[in-house]
Amino acid sequence: MKQHLGGYRLWLALALFCAALLWPQRGALAMYVSGNELVQKCMSQRKEDIYGCVHYVAGVIDYHVVMQSLGTAPTLPFCIPAGVSVTEAAFTVLTYLRAQPQHEGFIAAMAVPMALNKAFPCKKPAPKKKKK
């Protein structure tokens, strides 16, 4: 009887493994928002879509702020002035995406920092004067 259960378990494990391989995958690539999708949300007449657009941009901004605070500076930094609202930042991103159609099919999270860097570049610190 013990040998029979062992064979059953092996068969069950093999069946589950095969089912997992054949199961339709919805991976991470299916979860991203393209530049075109973000533009559509930002230009929508539906309040929910517009909120989604603004919150998407806010999420990318938050991510960059967190990375900077951890000392892992992003490769494309931006410095949004204190008086700029997240809605204004989202409008800046929308304007950029509409002018740069090459971003339509790509992940919008890459285009958001590009837009913000172009509109709000960080000022380079003035060089320190050497003491004599």
Side-chain angles (χ1 to χ4, degrees), residues 36-55:
N36 187 49
E37 291 169 330
L38 186 58
V39 167
Q40 296 305 313
K41 283 198 178 296
C42 292
M43 295 182 64
S44 174
Q45 297 299 313
R46 295 179 54 214
K47 237 187 248 189
E48 302 84 21
D49 289 342
I50 296 169
Y51 291 150
C53 164
V54 171
H55 292 130

Side-chain angles (χ1 to χ4, degrees), residues 38 54-66 78 108-114 116:
L38 186 58
V54 171
H55 292 130
Y56 184 89
V57 171
V60 174
I61 293 169
D62 287 348
Y63 172 78
H64 275 261
V65 169
V66 168
F78 51 84
M110 301 300 287
V112 171
M114 290 176 174
L116 296 174

Side-chain angles (χ1 to χ4, degrees), residues 21 28-29 32 46 53 58 104:
L21 287 177
L29 290 179
Y32 76 88
R46 295 179 54 214
C53 164
E104 286 179 359

Side-chain angles (χ1 to χ4, degrees), residues 61-116:
I61 293 169
D62 287 348
Y63 172 78
H64 275 261
V65 169
V66 168
M67 290 294 103
Q68 286 174 331
S69 71
L70 294 174
T72 54
T75 57
L76 198 58
F78 51 84
C79 296
I80 301 174
V84 176
S85 71
V86 70
T87 304
E88 291 170 302
F91 183 76
T92 299
V93 171
L94 171 63
T95 303
Y96 175 85
L97 287 172
R98 292 189 70 202
Q100 305 289 329
Q102 70 269 21
H103 294 290
E104 286 179 359
F106 294 101
I107 298 173
M110 301 300 287
V112 171
M114 290 176 174
L116 296 174

Side-chain angles (χ1 to χ4, degrees), residues 6-27:
Y8 174 75
R9 287 182 184 161
L10 179 61
W11 180 87
L12 181 61
L14 184 59
L16 289 173
F17 178 75
C18 290
L21 287 177
L22 298 174
W23 195 269
Q25 298 295 314
R26 183 172 166 95

